[in-house]
Amino acid sequence: MLEKHHNFQYRHVGPTLDQQKEMLDFVGASSLTDLMAKALPEAIQYQGGSTLPEPISEDEALARLHEIAAKNRITQSFIGQGYFGTRTPGVIKRNVLENPSWYTAYTPYQPEISQGRLEALINFQTVVTDLTGMKTANASMLDESTAVVEAMMVAKRSADSQSNTFFADNDLYPQTKQLLEHRAEPLGITVRYFDPANLSELDEECFGAVVQYPGGSGRIVDMTNLFAKVHEFGGLAIATADLMALTLLKPPGEMGADVVCGTTQRFGVPMGFGGPHAGYLAVREKLERTMPGRLVGVSVDAEGAPAYRLTLQTREQHIRREKATSNICTAQVLLAVMAGMYAVYHGPQNLKAIASEIHAKTTALATVLKESGFTLQHENYFDTIRVINTDAQKYFSEARKHNLTMFKVDSSTLGISVDESTTWQHLADLAASFGARAPKPSDAKLKLVNLRTSGYLEHPVFNSYHSETAMLRYLKKLADFDYALDRGMIPLGSCTMKLNSVTEMEAVTWPEFANLHPFAPAEDTQGYLELINELTSWLSDITGYEAVSLQPNAGSQGELAGLLAIRGYHRSRGDFGRNVCLIPSSAHGTNAASAVLAGMEVVVVACDDNGNVDVDDLKTKIAETADKLSALMITYPSTHGVYEEAVVEICDLVHAAGGQVYIDGANTNAVVGFAKFGEFGGDVSHLNLHKTFCIPHGGGGPGVGPVVARTHLAKFLPGHSMAQQELTGYGPVSAAPFGSPSILPISWAYIQMMGSEGLRVATSVAVLSANYVAKKLSDAFPLLYTGKHGLVAHEAIIDIRPLQRDAGIGNDDIAKRLVDYGFHAPTMSFPVAGTLMIEPTESEPKEELDRFIDAMLAIRAEAAKVESGEWPREDNPLVNAPHTANHLVSEWNHPYSREEAVFPTDSQRKSKYWPPVRRIDGAFGDRNLTCTCPPIESFAKG
């Protein structure tokens, strides 16, 4: 063992050894080992060894990461294909990407304490709608290629045509083509490729068509007539468009587009070998309610002041389940914030200047290449040219000698994409590789068609913060509006808001990891491949599965990948009729939505009074489905926060019927080191690296959802034709071969510094903390479910329904009152309406756990005053919470004092979080849908 002060385990785990002993005594366990032995079913407890490396110190981990990073070769990328070099403004890098106030925040389901990131997302949505010429944009997608798939699904749901044909531009990026084909097949959609410049190729009825704008080859087409023809067929017209180009080009919304999607990566977000980046999706009027993902809107608070909140699709999967419009319940918030702030910092004039410079350099390079006798594929382009009828390998190799990398399309074609990071010296070196003279500014010739005439980004927010001082203060103001882990505990059940240590985070912004193109030659990517392969082997050891894919860039994508693997396996055996997916009623809402997208039919299995899967009902459903059974999806521990005793029997029943078992790994933090999904019955699972393995939530994303599987499913895990090492021959689920690799060093560092024993301790203390909080609160708030010995797993559900019945105090009132006590609320009404689900994690110190317990007990005492009639039901601190500073200084006519409102505990006097708005009226925001920056005058009251 390392000396204690070097041992990261003691930095990661909050309660000290003495405090753990005190907590163990309280819950009735003699040790962590005893606690876990009592909590876990004996049948699943893993007793074997581990192949994980011995733990190393933080300094040693960083040194090792430097060694790995040095094996990556960073060249100047001219590859393009949706990924571009960009300059991240230092003020955004330091104060957003590297700032825990932004990266440790949670999804803004509690809008009163999320106004900062919600404003940042409104900015992002406004950037997208302004540049695309559309009515409404969502708060980001996972990447460009998945956004195109989601746009196709919007068209399928909304088109007048009943056709199953979808036309796709033959100039789409190659990764988008692969993804479209893989996702369309289970849904019975036929993808037909066509040339958008030749209208005669759009020759049959379709429900939609998508055009790349500009195309992967650089060409630009006017889509007006094409989109009109799609509309004649009753289909929806879709463009996947480059936002930087749209500062100069006519926006798709002005050419009749119904949906526009793409990526915002080149707005200040590093390439990072493929991610994470914020995709985008925008729609015309009347399609808002068909949009996937999250949408931020403007509403009002209790005083009528404007306030932001998630609108329409908030937690849609939990409400509509298999009828949800998408399985995506997350976003890329941190990256969307960066992209939006890039636009805020530069403003419309500088954005146009950046785009104009990119175009000028591209045309200058084209000029000297044509002078030297080279042939270009297109005469009209923005930032991408293609050199055709040449010896591609010869010139590709020559450019590599200058540390320049082009896109080798085929043996006679080279693609060259210029971006914000391209200098005139880079162009000179590239031209020299072709034997041409150095380009100069006077060689630039305007090559754009479809020039834009409409304005954009005219709102004051995009014209006010162009100095670093102004920008710094704007970012600080918004961060101060929000509650994140840097303020206190976020006790959300099912979400595992644990420490995201600085050491784990540090490598994310290193140039060797940040500046590599996802399609860089394999020899340039050896560091990343080493890190990926090490992390893959560790996840295999931890889960008991032989095969791992890190490609899914969200938990929902991991679910989908796992179910597609099961589908592929059955079909490979001729079992085309196996299409029923059994899902417990307690399951996470994305399970059902993912099953539908994998071409499966959902059949719900009941849960018993203890929150477990009802085995008798499962047997009935298996018998009823017979040889149609494809899979069972089960979360372990269950979504009800208990270790199901019958899980091994459940897996055996499904296998005996010819089905496969998908174990949802959302709650892996409760089993690491003690049980392995792949060894007690699972065939495939996904993991949430943004939960169990310390990647931060970033205000609602990024995430990584690796899919892990047994050997027989390995060849059906996500593949990618452009990967630098051999993957499967199966289809992809994300745009980049390895999903979001730039944040994988976080999980790598966590596992490397903790080691196998440290991970066991983390699991044990997570379970200990949950049971400590549950037992402390159990007299005041009934526990809904417990397992054997009265224990819960890593989270506990408390029942607020009796309080609602007796005092009119609901879980929403408790959630908002917790803000006054300086806390984020637990998870509300999931998986059971009228409850709160609490997950303290292993990282919270005992002092913080006790502070939360004290707050909850104090709130229960306040509710008792309502029950007794001392405070009226319609006017008390709970129903009026949260209380703002403005409320405090206004006229006061409540039956409780100002002091009781805002300083319910003495600790609040010294360190008070002040919510910027009062309780928000959600219904108003849904009725009056506004999803772009509101007029500045509307904030005069606030």
Side-chain angles (χ1 to χ4, degrees):
M1 288 293 293
L2 300 167
E3 295 179 23
K4 183 174 177 179
H5 70 279
H6 286 310
N7 194 330
F8 179 72
Q9 174 192 141
Y10 295 101
R11 306 298 186 189
H12 177 80
V13 175
T16 66
L17 294 177
D18 288 342
Q19 289 172 338
Q20 290 174 32
K21 180 66 171 67
E22 183 183 342
M23 294 161 68
L24 285 163
D25 289 343
F26 181 75
V27 301
S30 60
S31 65
L32 292 176
T33 302
D34 178 47
L35 173 69
M36 296 304 290
K38 288 179 176 178
L40 265 75
E42 187 175 346
I44 71 168
Q45 293 184 29
Y46 175 73
Q47 304 298 335
S50 172
T51 61
L52 295 184
E54 289 298 311
I56 60 179
S57 70
E58 294 177 76
D59 287 345
E60 289 170 325
L62 290 175
R64 176 85 177 89
L65 279 169
H66 274 296
E67 289 177 10
I68 293 172
K71 297 177 184 178
N72 290 331
R73 176 190 176 193
I74 303 300
T75 67
Q76 181 63 29
S77 173
F78 288 90
I79 300 172
Q81 301 304 295
Y83 301 93
F84 298 90
T86 184
R87 295 192 177 107
T88 307
V91 66
I92 295 175
K93 177 187 171 195
R94 173 66 58 87
N95 295 287
V96 177
L97 182 56
E98 298 177 339
N99 183 351
S101 291
W102 288 96
Y103 69 68
T104 71
Y106 183 61
T107 307
Y109 292 136
Q110 294 290 334
E112 294 83 2
I113 56 176
S114 308
Q115 290 296 295
R117 79 199 82 130
L118 287 167
E119 179 168 329
L121 290 173
I122 279 278
N123 292 348
F124 172 86
Q125 292 176 180
T126 304
V127 171
V128 172
T129 54
D130 276 17
L131 290 177
T132 60
M134 302 303 284
K135 177 68 163 56
T136 306
N138 70 9
S140 75
M141 300 299 292
L142 300 176
D143 59 36
E144 176 167 8
S145 297
T146 54
V148 173
V149 171
E150 294 294 335
M152 176 181 72
M153 298 300 294
V154 170
K156 190 72 178 98
R157 290 190 294 271
S158 307
D160 292 331
S161 170
Q162 298 303 306
S163 168
N164 286 320
T165 298
F166 184 72
F167 278 93
D169 187 348
N170 57 23
D171 208 13
L172 284 177
Y173 295 139
Q175 67 272 20
T176 302
K177 290 180 179 179
Q178 291 181 55
L179 199 58
L180 263 181
E181 293 163 9
H182 190 50
R183 292 289 303 277
E185 188 271 331
L187 301 173
I189 293 171
T190 300
V191 177
R192 280 197 57 192
Y193 292 102
F194 77 115
D195 179 2
N198 185 355
L199 279 183
S200 64
E201 292 190 16
L202 197 70
D203 57 2
E204 68 170 291
E205 184 179 343
C206 59
F207 70 84
V210 61
V211 179
Q212 190 92 45
Y213 184 68
S217 65
R219 66 96 179 93
I220 298 170
V221 297
D222 188 317
M223 298 175 284
T224 305
N225 293 334
L226 169 68
F227 286 172
K229 189 170 183 181
V230 174
H231 290 149
E232 288 175 12
F233 284 133
L236 264 61
I238 302 167
T240 175
D242 182 339
L243 290 188
M244 187 64 77
L246 294 186
T247 65
L248 302 175
L249 294 177
K250 186 177 182 179
E254 295 177 12
M255 291 183 271
D258 300 294
V259 187
V260 185
C261 56
T263 178
T264 62
Q265 178 268 314
R266 69 191 308 176
F267 274 37
V269 181
M271 289 185 289
F273 200 38
H277 308 134
Y280 75 84
L281 189 145
V283 297
R284 63 163 166 79
E285 194 169 12
K286 296 184 180 177
L287 287 178
E288 297 92 345
R289 294 175 190 273
T290 72
M291 293 176 71
R294 297 184 185 139
L295 181 62
V296 178
V298 182
S299 189
V300 294
D301 74 356
E303 294 178 352
Y308 305 110
R309 63 180 284 273
L310 294 179
T311 189
L312 294 186
Q313 294 90 353
T314 302
R315 304 196 75 144
E316 179 201 39
Q317 288 76 20
H318 296 311
I319 300 167
R320 304 190 69 220
R321 303 178 78 79
E322 69 270 17
K323 294 182 176 63
T325 56
S326 165
N327 74 326
I328 295 175
C329 72
T330 186
Q332 297 279 25
V333 171
L334 189 67
L335 301 315
V337 169
M338 289 180 66
M341 290 304 174
Y342 178 92
V344 169
Y345 191 48
H346 284 300
Q349 292 181 335
N350 281 336
L351 285 179
K352 187 173 184 178
I354 292 168
S356 298
E357 184 179 352
I358 290 170
H359 181 59
K361 288 176 177 175
T362 308
T363 61
L365 177 64
T367 297
V368 301
L369 289 178
K370 289 203 295 187
E371 273 181 11
S372 296
F374 291 94
T375 303
L376 302 188
Q377 185 175 359
H378 302 295
E379 286 299 314
N380 298 311
Y381 46 80
F382 165 59
D383 63 357
T384 296
I385 57 175
R386 282 207 172 158
V387 182
I388 59 175
N389 304 325
T390 191
D391 185 342
Q393 184 59 48
K394 171 186 174 182
Y395 297 114
F396 178 86
S397 299
E398 192 62 33
R400 293 278 289 166
K401 295 176 184 177
H402 296 278
N403 275 334
L404 310 172
T405 303
M406 294 180 285
F407 182 55
K408 193 165 61 175
V409 181
D410 54 41
S411 62
S412 62
T413 309
L414 284 168
I416 303 171
S417 293
V418 175
D419 57 46
E420 183 188 10
S421 69
T422 307
T423 65
W424 286 102
Q425 185 59 54
H426 292 142
L427 294 178
D429 291 341
L430 186 61
S433 301
F434 285 91
R437 68 175 175 85
K440 52 186 184 293
S442 59
D443 293 318
K445 295 179 173 60
L446 183 68
K447 287 290 181 180
L448 287 179
V449 295
N450 286 12
L451 281 172
R452 180 172 197 139
T453 58
S454 55
Y456 51 86
L457 303 185
E458 295 172 347
H459 190 277
V461 75
F462 301 107
N463 296 278
S464 302
Y465 305 110
H466 302 325
S467 75
E468 183 165 331
T469 301
M471 189 66 183
L472 172 69
R473 290 172 180 164
Y474 180 55
L475 291 171
K476 173 64 173 171
K477 180 185 80 169
L478 295 189
D480 284 347
F481 284 167
D482 282 10
Y483 189 103
L485 276 178
D486 61 337
R487 289 188 186 271
M489 182 163 104
I490 302 179
L492 286 152
S494 188
C495 295
T496 317
M497 299 295 293
K498 65 204 292 182
L499 172 69
N500 319 117
S501 81
V502 173
T503 298
E504 292 160 4
M505 298 294 297
E506 194 159 325
V508 170
T509 54
W510 292 353
E512 299 92 337
F513 287 128
N515 296 340
L516 193 61
H517 193 286
F519 306 145
E523 60 266 27
D524 291 1
T525 67
Q526 293 305 299
Y528 255 123
L529 295 182
E530 181 176 328
L531 183 142
I532 285 167
N533 290 332
E534 284 191 2
L535 181 57
T536 293
S537 71
W538 298 347
L539 295 177
S540 177
D541 176 277
I542 288 167
T543 61
Y545 289 113
E546 295 85 3
V548 180
S549 169
L550 297 174
Q551 188 182 115
N553 52 9
S556 59
Q557 302 304 91
E559 286 180 15
L560 181 60
L563 291 172
L564 287 172
I566 290 173
R567 182 178 190 271
Y569 170 74
H570 285 312
R571 293 172 76 83
S572 74
R573 293 158 54 87
D575 285 339
F576 293 93
R578 289 194 177 272
N579 67 342
V580 169
C581 186
L582 303 178
I583 299 180
S585 60
S586 65
H588 195 278
T590 57
N591 285 181
S594 294
V596 170
L597 292 179
M600 296 182 183
E601 175 189 340
V602 174
V603 172
V604 177
V605 179
C607 289
D608 63 23
D609 292 341
N610 296 317
N612 301 307
V613 172
D614 186 325
V615 176
D616 289 336
D617 189 55
L618 175 65
K619 291 176 180 177
T620 300
K621 297 295 168 56
I622 289 175
E624 289 173 352
T625 56
D627 58 1
K628 292 177 64 179
L629 177 61
S630 177
L632 166 76
M633 297 187 82
I634 182 173
T635 304
Y636 204 83
S638 79
T639 314
H640 287 150
V642 294
Y643 294 102
E644 302 224 13
E645 291 291 322
V647 67
V648 173
E649 178 190 0
I650 288 169
C651 294
D652 289 344
L653 288 169
V654 174
H655 288 144
Q660 297 284 285
V661 176
Y662 182 105
I663 299 180
D664 186 315
N667 295 335
T668 307
N669 205 50
V671 299
V672 172
F674 289 91
K676 298 189 176 186
F677 298 145
E679 295 194 1
F680 68 71
D683 296 293
V684 61
S685 296
H686 86 273
L687 308 172
N688 290 326
L689 298 193
H690 47 290
K691 293 183 182 182
T692 300
F693 297 98
C694 290
I695 290 176
H697 287 251
V704 180
V707 59
V708 288
R710 300 304 306 270
T711 302
H712 66 281
L713 295 180
K715 65 181 180 180
F716 303 105
L717 295 186
H720 202 292
S721 67
M722 302 171 81
Q724 289 79 4
Q725 66 183 21
E726 186 177 354
L727 300 180
T728 70
Y730 211 51
V733 295
S734 298
F738 303 100
S740 294
S742 70
I743 53 178
L744 295 179
I746 302 168
S747 297
W748 182 97
Y750 173 63
I751 296 172
Q752 175 68 86
M753 293 188 296
M754 292 291 279
S756 60
E757 183 55 34
L759 293 175
R760 281 175 60 88
V761 170
T763 301
S764 305
V765 176
V767 174
L768 172 62
S769 296
N771 279 282
Y772 176 74
V773 172
K775 190 171 181 181
K776 283 277 187 177
L777 295 180
S778 59
D779 288 340
F781 300 97
L783 282 176
L784 197 57
Y785 301 115
T786 58
K788 65 178 183 179
H789 303 291
L791 296 171
V792 298
H794 64 312
E795 59 194 11
I797 301 176
I798 59 174
D799 195 351
I800 310 302
R801 290 171 296 185
L803 200 57
Q804 175 78 61
R805 180 189 64 236
D806 298 337
I809 300 298
N811 58 1
D812 200 43
D813 300 316
I814 294 174
K816 305 311 180 190
R817 184 58 172 156
L818 276 168
V819 176
D820 292 329
Y821 282 82
F823 281 104
H824 194 293
T827 300
M828 294 188 348
S829 289
F830 174 78
V832 179
T835 65
L836 293 174
M837 184 159 61
I838 302 164
E839 182 181 354
T841 85
E842 71 272 16
S843 295
E844 291 299 339
K846 181 175 179 293
E847 293 82 1
E848 188 73 351
L849 301 181
D850 287 335
R851 190 172 76 88
F852 174 73
I853 291 164
D854 290 344
M856 289 295 292
L857 295 177
I859 289 171
R860 183 61 184 88
E862 291 177 340
K865 292 184 178 181
V866 181
E867 283 180 287
S868 68
E870 182 176 343
W871 286 336
R873 287 191 174 207
E874 67 280 0
D875 189 6
N876 59 71
L878 290 98
V879 298
N880 291 332
H883 297 83
T884 62
N886 188 60
H887 187 194
L888 184 69
V889 299
S890 63
E891 182 180 351
W892 196 264
N893 52 12
H894 301 295
Y896 55 96
S897 68
R898 289 182 171 91
E899 185 175 44
E900 288 174 302
V902 300
F903 297 131
T905 64
D906 287 340
S907 64
Q908 297 299 96
R909 299 177 186 276
K910 295 181 180 178
S911 180
K912 170 72 177 174
Y913 167 72
W914 290 97
V917 296
R918 291 187 63 190
R919 195 175 304 196
I920 295 172
D921 184 340
F924 179 92
D926 284 348
R927 290 193 308 269
N928 303 276
L929 195 62
T930 302
C931 301
T932 55
C933 295
I936 200 73
E937 298 80 22
S938 65
F939 287 89
K941 183 176 181 179

